[in-house]
Amino acid sequence: MFRTALRNVLAHKGRLLMTVLAVMLGTAFVSGTLVFSDTFGNALRTQSSKSYTDIAVTVSDREARNLSHDEGGRAVDSPTLTEETRTKVAALPGTAEVRGIVSGFAGIADKKGALIGNGFSTTGTNYVPGADGTDPRYPLVEGRGPKDATEVALDRKTADKGGFKVGDTIRVAVNGPVMQLKLTGTVTTNDPRVVAGGSLAAFDTATAQQLYLAPGRFAELDVKAKPGTDDTALLAAVKQTVPQGDNIEARTGRELADEQDRMIKQGTQVLSTALLGFAGIALFVGIFIIANTFTMLVAQRTRELALLRAVGATRRQITRSVLIEAVLVGLTASVTGLLAGIGIALGLKALLNGPMDANLPDGPLIVAPTTVVAALATGVLVTVLAAWLPARRASRIAPVAAMSSVEQPTTHKGLVVRNTIGLLFSAAGAAALAAGVAAKEVKPVGLGAGALLIGVFVLTPMLSKPLIALLAPLLRAVYGTPGKLAQENAVRNPRRTAATASALTIGVTLITSLTVIGASVNQAVDRLTATSVKADYTVAMQNFSKLAPEVAAQIAKVPGVTAMSVERTVRVKVGEQQEDSEAITAVDAATIDQLATIKVTEGSADALKQGRLLVSSGRAEHGGYKLGDTLAVTYPDGAKGSLTVGGILEANTALAGIVAPDSVVGPHAAPGSGPESVLVKGADGPTEELKQALRDATGGNPLIAVKGQKEIKAENRQMITSILNMMYGLLGMSVVIAVLGVVNTMAMSVFERRREIGMLRAIGLDRLGIRRMVRLESLLIALFGGVVGVGLGVLVAWAVVRTMADSLKDISTVVPPLQIAGFLLAAAVVGLLAALWPAHRAARLDILTSIKSQ
């Protein structure tokens, strides 16, 4: 039977080609994902380990960037790392060197004033020269390190992006006025934030301390050990030397490197899992193609299999023979897919480092044994599972069937069982969807969508006849006899049509769902922004850090500003036990109603003007706050007070959580800390003149963004569009496999209908008619899959959107007609393109040879 299986594979290699391609693409996705994530993770770990090669012990102040300061700028309430501490640690036996580190963020403006890099990775630090005048963390490319407050060094890529050369004057800013500094040198760095597209500005230590902490303070001390010194012993000595406090932590460099390794592994595992999920979708689509191919092969070999039964082959041997064919096909495709996956990983790395400028770290290609096993096992297992039902069906062929080459009809009992199973799955899926919508929970909706999808797939043969019949009058009217034949061929074998269409349905369902959800969220966010925000402009840092304290006063002086309000977050401790903490948003009570929509469901909209709190409805429900409740609070400066809930606020995008008057809460905020944003309203509305005046008032700081409602809406839409485009790209593999399925089905259908096609040619149907018949049949199958996919996609999207009702007020399901029509048109194009080769092949069949075929 093994020889028989091998002979059959070699004999039908042309008909198995599309199946091999489908499995190959799926396993290539899997192996490419694993190879890329392993290679990327290994390169990141290697790069990260370089940062700790000369560090024996690190002492860090975990609160260094968040500590309160007194009027003199000195930190209070917690121990700190100072120059005195650094000197003491440097004097310990076994210590070779102690490097004091200061870090924060710093934006670099290009020659047009725009920010270089992204706002989240604008890194600022201190340059710590050693005995040779260089900082080993940042090897010099050109020039030297900064020596005073008028100088700065940049990473080489940032300098290149800005077109800066050593000696140029560049504009650098933190959260306040822009500094004009001389570029003294360019450096390289392994900092992942910078490597991933950020920027690095290195100041001298005194300047960095002044900008980020306070004179003489450090956020971290890196200790280098003398040769032969035990890191653990040095750690114990350092712990005895540094100040004691919950915010001070000392660890060995090895511990930090191991922790970094764990974080990198977790990050790459998340990436790998997400990509494997899409690979799973592609393989699931491939199952339909494999099952369809083997079903058709079994049908075409009815006489051969029956003869084997007649000469003594058992059912088990027949089943085993078909499954051996599946193993051979799966193994061939998996090996090819593994090699293709390695190529995909290399291509993806080149793409990210090239046109996309992702700056991935260099490292060797990692093809782990587990990747090889996973790719081969996945391909073989998927192929065997998909071929199992056709193999069972082959074993049931009676020996008497050897007298006929006619395909064995599906029994009535089999159809009843199939439709019953499909109805049960569909009913269970619909019930889970309804339960998820009622409870506004995504998990039941996801389970329901999966069950409903399976149910519809099982019912697809039953659905195909009525849906395809809807197009029959149009086809007959426009295309005549070829149209009629195409419609009859499409419904002749409902199972085959269903399996072919279902592969396309999966991709269309997912793409439609994503599109409808994206359009619904976009509309809801736009509506909320328009109804909740009255301010013409919002001024905030691009990296979501706090503005400088003086920014609000600078904005208040801008001509044309009629109203403004800070939005300042102050975290307070609540209750007598001080176990709970709350983030309170402080605003200007006198002007906030001109800048944001304030609607209350309980209490007074003037609560802020009365010195009381407004609590959003969602926060009130979550925290159990009621109108009239009094909160005993302790502010960051240690002062105690009480705040009363004066109104329950209808949720909006401008104000959320707990809102308090800035006149009450603001004085207790950490001295020296500014607001997160400033809302501004102009006398003439949002004008370019006002926008430019606000930029000028903030010193042209490239990190400070002045955004109107249009920019905010555009950013929201761009974010959602980027996510959708990424999803579309990842789903593209499943669509390609579905197209292969249509090509495969039509090609094999032409092969098994050779006699029929020959008879049609003999009675007068010309080659153009044959081609048109095959193309229209493929078009019907593709459109059927597209229509079912669009219907399912809209239904699933509706359920998901309804679960968002609490988080996005007034969200409704938006079905973009042009995009949906585009998906159906794309399905039609897929059907027509997939039929080009089969139609051409059918039209070229010799009439006499076809009529004589069995």
Side-chain angles (χ1 to χ4, degrees), residues 773-798:
M773 176 188 72
V774 175
R775 289 171 184 166
L776 290 175
E777 180 183 350
S778 177
L779 173 66
L780 284 173
I781 293 173
L783 277 177
F784 170 59
V787 169
V788 174
V790 165
L792 281 173
V794 171
L795 178 61
V796 171
W798 168 81

Side-chain angles (χ1 to χ4, degrees), residues 55-60 81 85 88-90 92-98 220-226 228-244 248-258:
I55 297 177
V57 175
T58 290
V59 185
S60 58
L81 300 177
T85 307
K88 289 180 179 179
V89 174
L92 290 173
T95 299
E97 181 185 351
V98 180
E220 182 179 304
L221 298 177
D222 290 343
V223 184
K224 182 178 180 181
K226 292 179 180 178
T229 301
D230 180 69
D231 290 355
T232 305
L234 183 58
L235 174 64
V238 169
K239 284 183 176 180
Q240 297 296 320
T241 305
V242 300
Q244 303 301 305
I248 303 297
E249 182 181 35
R251 305 171 70 183
T252 64
R254 183 67 265 164
E255 289 175 334
L256 291 174
D258 291 343

Side-chain angles (χ1 to χ4, degrees), residues 266-342:
Q266 290 175 358
T268 53
Q269 186 174 10
V270 170
L271 172 65
S272 177
T273 301
L275 292 176
L276 286 176
F278 287 94
I281 294 172
L283 286 169
F284 184 61
V285 171
I287 286 176
F288 289 92
I289 299 175
I290 300 165
N292 213 20
T293 301
F294 277 93
T295 298
M296 296 176 76
L297 285 175
V298 167
Q300 293 168 13
R301 287 158 47 197
T302 298
R303 174 173 290 183
E304 174 190 331
L305 295 173
L307 284 172
L308 287 174
R309 291 292 313 283
V311 298
T314 64
R315 287 188 174 184
R316 180 175 296 180
Q317 286 177 312
I318 296 295
T319 301
R320 189 183 303 157
S321 173
V322 176
L323 291 180
I324 289 173
E325 292 179 41
V327 170
L328 293 173
V329 170
L331 189 60
T332 301
S334 299
V335 172
T336 310
L338 174 62
L339 297 176
I342 295 172

Side-chain angles (χ1 to χ4, degrees), residues 533-536 562-564 590-598 681:
V533 181
K534 296 180 182 179
D536 295 323
T562 58
M564 60 158 285
T591 58
I592 191 63
D593 56 350
Q594 302 176 52
L595 302 161
T597 301
I598 297 179
K681 192 169 186 64

